[in-house]
Amino acid sequence: MANQEIKLTAKTRTLPTKSLNEQRSKGLVPGELYGSSKANQHLFLNKLELEQVYHQAGSSSLVDLSVENQAAFKVMLQAVQQDPLTGSLTHVDFLQIEMDKEMFAHLPLILIGEAKAVKEQGATLITPLQEVEI
């Protein structure tokens, strides 16, 4: 996955956004784009496309985001809000990444396999660290 480019498109939206629930029912998800050198942009994204990208990229992979057919730029999913009953995405925040500047990110730790003591002796594995900062 490291060599695969993940692409996403968005449309700009105006504030205040009237009938936000109506737009959601049409398959659009509101979002925000933040960056250190640009003003925030208010976006609408296709729900199906966004969910595919979210499952593929998570919060630790770079995504090429294109807004209104402009040149794409690198972003990371900063925050995602989901409906508590359905799990569907209701809002997303993107952080624009400046590729020539140092940055920090939190990556989740994913444990693979099962410890021998847990499997054979009924031990309990305690994992106090859930993510690391790089």
Side-chain angles (χ1 to χ4, degrees):
M1 182 183 343
N3 295 333
Q4 184 180 4
E5 289 185 1
I6 304 169
K7 297 181 181 190
L8 184 62
T9 58
K11 298 177 186 176
T12 58
R13 68 181 168 100
T14 57
L15 289 182
T17 304
K18 295 181 181 178
S19 64
L20 200 55
N21 287 333
E22 182 181 322
Q23 297 300 321
R24 285 188 175 117
S25 70
K26 292 179 181 177
L28 297 175
V29 177
E32 295 292 323
L33 173 63
Y34 302 97
S36 61
S37 62
K38 281 188 165 187
N40 296 353
Q41 284 187 281
H42 313 292
L43 308 172
F44 270 128
L45 301 109
N46 177 287
K47 182 179 178 179
L48 295 175
E49 185 181 359
L50 177 61
E51 286 179 345
Q52 289 175 346
V53 167
Y54 177 61
H55 291 303
Q56 187 178 6
S59 60
S60 59
S61 295
L62 291 176
V63 174
D64 291 328
L65 179 65
S66 177
V67 179
E68 300 283 339
N69 296 321
Q70 296 175 2
F73 39 86
K74 302 287 186 188
V75 297
M76 289 178 71
L77 280 87
Q78 185 74 14
V80 175
Q81 296 175 13
Q82 295 176 289
D83 183 282
L85 297 177
T86 64
S88 66
L89 300 178
T90 58
H91 191 274
V92 64
D93 290 342
F94 294 100
L95 175 64
Q96 185 174 352
I97 305 301
E98 296 182 40
M99 298 301 286
D100 58 344
K101 293 186 179 176
E102 185 177 288
M103 65 167 285
F104 294 91
H106 291 269
L107 298 179
L109 291 178
I110 300 171
L111 303 177
I112 299 174
E114 190 172 13
K116 189 174 183 179
V118 171
K119 187 176 183 179
E120 296 176 3
Q121 299 173 355
T124 301
L125 179 64
I126 299 173
T127 56
L129 194 60
Q130 302 296 319
E131 64 183 15
V132 293
E133 182 180 64
I134 60 166

